[in-house]
Amino acid sequence: MMTTAVRPPLAAPSREEDAMSTCFAIARRNGSENLPLEDARRVGAMRRLAVARLKYCGLQRMSDDVAVIVSELLTNAILHSGGTQITFGMTVRGGFLRISVHDGMLGNPEICPANGDAETGRGLYLVASLVDAHHGTWGIGEAGATIWCSLPL
C-alpha cells in the first residue's frame, strides 16, 4: 500500500516582504586568471535564481535588468575579491528591491575607465546605468565587502 501526503499550497509572499540569500564557494584566483568555468556557472545559476524569485514575487517585468545587474555584480566579486566565498541576496521590502553581493574582502570597488578596445571593465558602469534608469541607488557597504543596489518597485 502506498501513502501520499497532501499539503496545502503555500501562499505566495507579499510583494512587500520577501528575502532570499545564498552563499557559495568560489575558486581562489590570481589577478590575471580568467573566470573559472565552475564560477561562471555559478553566476548563471544565481542569475536564474534571481529571475525565478522575481517571477515568484510577481516582479517579472524587472527580470532582464536584474539579471544583468546580478551577473555583473557577481562576476566583479569573483574576479576582483581574491576571496573564496560569495553571498548573494535579494530583498523586497518597503517598495524596493535590494540586491547585494558580499565577498568578505575589504576594499572599495571603483568604476575605472575601460580602454576603448577592452572586452572587460564596463560592468559597474552598466550596473550604474541600469540602476539610474530605474531611479534607484547603488553603493558600497562598510569597508567595501558588500556592493548593493536598490530599485524602486
Side-chain angles (χ1 to χ4, degrees):
M1 182 169 147
M2 189 171 186
T3 304
T4 304
V6 178
R7 294 184 186 172
L10 297 175
S14 161
R15 282 180 55 176
E16 289 303 316
E17 275 301 319
D18 185 69
M20 64 150 226
S21 180
T22 186
C23 184
F24 57 92
I26 60 171
R28 185 176 299 275
R29 44 180 308 284
N30 296 324
S32 62
E33 294 176 6
N34 290 327
L35 187 66
L37 182 58
E38 188 173 326
D39 291 341
R41 287 182 178 145
R42 284 190 178 92
V43 171
M46 294 303 107
R47 183 177 52 243
R48 289 186 297 278
L49 178 64
V51 168
R53 197 64 186 197
L54 289 172
K55 184 176 180 182
Y56 180 72
C57 293
L59 299 170
Q60 54 270 28
R61 66 179 166 64
M62 300 176 82
S63 293
D64 291 342
D65 290 347
V66 168
V68 172
I69 291 168
V70 167
S71 291
E72 294 300 333
L73 293 181
L74 287 170
T75 300
N76 197 56
I78 292 169
L79 286 175
H80 302 294
S81 74
T84 59
Q85 186 170 297
I86 302 285
T87 302
F88 162 60
M90 275 184 28
T91 305
V92 175
R93 185 175 298 129
F96 290 89
L97 170 68
R98 181 180 164 98
I99 300 165
S100 64
V101 174
H102 179 81
D103 61 24
M105 302 301 286
L106 302 179
N108 287 317
E110 296 178 19
I111 295 180
C112 299
N115 178 332
D117 295 332
E119 293 181 16
T120 62
R122 294 174 184 83
L124 289 180
Y125 278 118
L126 188 53
V127 168
S129 294
L130 288 171
V131 169
D132 187 51
H134 284 274
H135 306 289
T137 57
W138 73 280
I140 299 161
E142 240 179 81
T146 302
I147 190 162
W148 58 269
C149 70
S150 184
L151 306 172
L153 301 177

